[in-house]
Amino acid sequence: MRIAPRRTALALASAVFLAGCSGTGPGTSDAALTVSTTTGIIADLVRQVGGDRVDVTSIVPHHGDPHSYEPSPGDTAKVARADIVFSNGLLLEEPGIMKMIHSNAAKGAPKVEIAAKLEEFGGTVMKLEEDLGLDVLWLGWAVEGEVAGEGAHVRTTAVKLTGPGDLHVYLTDTLGNPTSYIDSSDGLDAKDSFTLPPEAHTHVNWVFTKPGTYELTVRGQVEALDGTTTDAGQGTVTFTVGGSAHNKTATGRKALDGGHADLTLNAQEKSVYVRTDEKATGERVPMDSTSVALNVPDRAKQQVPKEPQYRFLGAAGQDIWVLPQAVIGKHVHGDMDPHTWGDVSNAEAYARRIQAELTKADLAGKATYERNTKAYLNKLAELHKDMAATLATVPEANRKLITTHDAFGYLAKAYGMEVAGFVVPVPSQEPSAAEVEKLRSTIREKKVPAVFLEPNLAARADILRRVAQDEGVGLCTIYGDSFDDRVHDYVGMMRHNADELARCLGGKGSKA
């Protein structure tokens, strides 16, 4: 999650003008269509279908993370000059990327979220499974309800806090750098806020500086692309921090102290409630915020990290009570898992959707797009068959994935694997001795021969490397959201993943 800086219309127009004069943006070739995509994976799929008739650029570069990438003025220029813009959708992309697209795409240029209609083209979409088994509440922040206006976002602002100490709500990126969104130590004002797209939620760290009972009031506003705002209601939620002796919770409140929940603003109903995951039904159940208390128990007590970037939380070593972010990096998403390309059958649906949209925009290229798509679908069918055969060589007991990022649910389901967990449970600081031991225990319990690291998260791999070495398991590479200098296309990425999984988990890689 990120709050995108507000660029003025003049600044955006200037950026487009300068980038246009540079001659390096899209549209400088003789291609029939200029195409902008959000990710390198989608750009590659568009090139496979479009061939020489398309001039394609990606907003998120190689090594980039679509969950957190911050668009540049050059990216704005690419979008402004594109005949068509492709994104993944399902809230894969960082909200600032999508807001930039909606604000700057040329009038009449189609803005296609491919995965949003994947099932119409033969693909499948599944719910995002989130359960890290934390021993404290995993509390996110969410918005629900229909919002009028294309590209509109919902801003949630903390307007009042009562309690014995301060509240900090912050997020840690993949390199361990924190960004503060709510900080009550200097009073609450308009800056104690962040935005989310409709029907999205994100993971954040919640930090309380003293034990006791806190009441937090939040207010919502819908922000349209033209700058107008409308009220989205407000509400108050209660936290009980530390041992029961410190708290004065009203009798009859239900205490939540484990599992996954979201503090939720419903912009349509103008209400605030706590949304929980109901294990029995798999559905998310809203609870009246006046009848539930979010518990931050003594076992959530930690110390402020020694690193200087955490001084906003207090002095190093000072006691704090923490509900952790739990998932590495900025992560805004909805209920459906957006990493659909992990199943090659879904990549086939991407190709069909891309063919349909390119044909609408360039009818003269219909025959070319049909020919290219047919050839690429044959290639993907062969890839799907080879991946299944390669991963079938992995002993059944070893078909478990421990990764740094929840991007492999589709791959696991399609090819008989199990997502066993994530590597670093709390990204706000270096893992504690207890957390390192928990990682060791998970590796031993699951009896995995290897754990898997995405290249763009390698900077945080020191602990993982040491644990892998100590436990005698492999540390291997798997690609999720982006390419790098070694892997440049979707087919190559998926073949690498299949071969690496097979090699590292005791199977046989392909000979391709």
Side-chain angles (χ1 to χ4, degrees), residues 203-362:
H203 310 141
V204 290
N205 301 283
W206 303 77
V207 173
F208 300 86
T209 60
K210 292 182 180 180
T213 300
Y214 295 74
E215 290 191 341
L216 172 66
T217 301
V218 298
R219 178 182 300 151
Q221 279 188 320
V222 177
E223 298 182 341
L225 289 178
D226 63 4
T228 59
T229 63
T230 55
D231 175 62
Q234 73 174 45
T236 301
V237 66
T238 300
F239 293 85
T240 56
V241 180
S244 59
H246 301 293
N247 296 299
K248 300 177 181 178
T249 306
T251 303
R253 285 183 185 267
K254 178 176 181 178
L256 291 180
D257 61 1
H260 185 200
D262 293 307
L263 177 56
T264 304
L265 172 74
N266 190 308
Q268 185 176 8
E269 299 177 358
K270 298 185 177 181
S271 61
V272 173
Y273 47 79
V274 176
R275 185 179 70 179
T276 65
D277 288 345
E278 180 58 55
K279 290 185 179 297
T281 63
E283 300 296 326
R284 290 186 169 175
V285 180
M287 295 185 174
D288 187 338
S289 60
T290 63
S291 64
V292 64
L294 302 171
N295 190 31
V296 189
D298 275 330
R299 64 179 179 274
K301 185 164 66 174
Q302 301 181 22
Q303 284 74 46
V304 175
K306 64 180 182 299
E307 289 81 6
Q309 63 264 38
Y310 292 98
R311 286 295 71 77
F312 70 96
L313 297 177
Q318 174 184 322
D319 285 343
I320 51 176
W321 284 257
V322 182
L323 297 181
Q325 173 182 331
V327 173
I328 291 176
K330 302 175 183 177
H331 216 67
V332 174
H333 55 76
D335 291 340
M336 308 308 292
D337 188 340
H339 305 91
T340 51
W341 61 85
D343 179 348
V344 177
S345 295
N346 278 340
E348 295 175 8
Y350 275 64
R352 297 186 193 101
R353 176 80 192 275
I354 291 167
Q355 177 196 351
E357 298 297 337
L358 292 181
T359 301
K360 288 180 187 177
D362 173 30

Side-chain angles (χ1 to χ4, degrees), residues 112-285:
V112 181
E113 296 186 16
I114 301 175
K117 294 184 177 180
L118 202 64
E119 292 173 329
E120 295 180 20
F121 291 84
T124 58
V125 178
M126 63 187 191
K127 286 191 173 182
L128 187 66
E129 298 292 338
E130 294 186 297
D131 183 6
L132 297 190
L134 299 181
D135 62 355
V136 296
L137 181 66
W138 182 12
L139 183 65
W141 206 308
V143 295
E144 286 188 333
E146 293 185 6
V147 174
E150 185 181 71
H153 280 55
V154 179
R155 181 174 296 276
T156 304
T157 303
V159 296
K160 183 180 179 181
L161 178 75
T162 62
D166 295 318
L167 167 65
H168 298 273
V169 179
Y170 73 97
L171 187 144
T172 309
D173 68 17
T174 53
L175 298 179
N177 301 311
T179 299
S180 177
Y181 294 102
I182 295 176
D183 181 349
S184 71
S185 63
D186 58 354
L188 295 176
D189 55 31
K191 74 176 184 296
D192 294 294
S193 67
F194 53 84
T195 62
L196 286 173
E199 301 297 338
H201 82 275
T202 190
H203 310 141
V204 290
N205 301 283
W206 303 77
V207 173
F208 300 86
T209 60
K210 292 182 180 180
T213 300
Y214 295 74
E215 290 191 341
L216 172 66
T217 301
V218 298
R219 178 182 300 151
Q221 279 188 320
V222 177
E223 298 182 341
L225 289 178
D226 63 4
T228 59
T229 63
T230 55
D231 175 62
Q234 73 174 45
T236 301
V237 66
T238 300
F239 293 85
T240 56
V241 180
S244 59
H246 301 293
N247 296 299
K248 300 177 181 178
T249 306
T251 303
R253 285 183 185 267
K254 178 176 181 178
L256 291 180
D257 61 1
H260 185 200
D262 293 307
L263 177 56
T264 304
L265 172 74
N266 190 308
Q268 185 176 8
E269 299 177 358
K270 298 185 177 181
S271 61
V272 173
Y273 47 79
V274 176
R275 185 179 70 179
T276 65
D277 288 345
E278 180 58 55
K279 290 185 179 297
T281 63
E283 300 296 326
R284 290 186 169 175
V285 180

Side-chain angles (χ1 to χ4, degrees), residues 434-476:
E435 290 160 353
V436 171
E437 182 55 37
K438 185 175 181 180
L439 173 59
R440 296 180 190 277
S441 297
T442 299
I443 292 173
R444 294 169 192 156
E445 177 186 346
K446 297 293 184 180
K447 297 180 180 178
V448 297
V451 293
F452 295 85
L453 176 71
E454 292 172 78
N456 61 338
L457 299 179
R460 290 184 58 80
D462 289 345
I463 293 292
L464 180 59
R465 288 191 180 96
R466 187 168 73 241
V467 171
Q469 183 177 10
D470 292 346
E471 295 300 316
V473 302
L475 179 64
C476 301

Side-chain angles (χ1 to χ4, degrees), residues 129 131-133 397-406 408-409 412-413 417-423 438-439 441-452 501 505:
E129 298 292 338
D131 183 6
L132 297 190
N398 291 357
R399 295 176 190 174
K400 299 178 177 67
L401 293 176
I402 294 181
T403 67
T404 50
H405 175 208
D406 56 340
F408 303 99
K413 184 176 181 180
M417 310 290 289
E418 172 194 349
V419 176
F422 309 117
V423 170
K438 185 175 181 180
L439 173 59
S441 297
T442 299
I443 292 173
R444 294 169 192 156
E445 177 186 346
K446 297 293 184 180
K447 297 180 180 178
V448 297
V451 293
F452 295 85
L501 287 167
L505 297 179

